[in-house]
Amino acid sequence: RVLFESAEVGCAECHSGALLTDNEPHDIYGVAGVNTPTLVGVAASAPYLHTGTAATLRDVLDTALTGEMGDTSSLSEQDMDDLVAYLESL
């Protein structure tokens, strides 16, 4: 949870509140107006991203290495595993 809520990673900037969504549109990966989905039950909703191109939650975090949707570039392998475990617990 600490990683998820850290300003450095930035997940909670859009995934906030009781339902873990700001319910606002954002421009990500070249697509305008993508509504922030809730992360409640996210482990059961694969595939991920607006295109369905991320088969796993780890794949989602790997796409965030670029900083376009959060920024996981500074995280270690253990941090990434911990963040996946947190997301799976939601």
Side-chain angles (χ1 to χ4, degrees), residues 11-17 19-26 34-38:
C11 300
E13 287 181 30
C14 299
H15 295 283
S16 58
L19 295 178
L20 298 173
T21 176
D22 64 3
N23 207 28
E24 296 289 332
H26 299 276
V34 176
N35 194 49
T36 305
T38 181

Side-chain angles (χ1 to χ4, degrees), residues 9-11 14-15 25-37 48-73 80:
V9 177
C11 300
C14 299
H15 295 283
H26 299 276
D27 299 343
I28 58 169
Y29 302 116
V31 178
V34 176
N35 194 49
T36 305
Y48 304 102
L49 300 178
H50 61 282
T51 59
T53 55
T56 67
L57 290 169
R58 178 58 187 255
D59 291 339
V60 173
L61 297 180
D62 286 341
T63 67
L65 290 168
T66 64
E68 189 168 346
M69 181 183 71
D71 186 355
T72 58
S73 63
M80 293 285 268

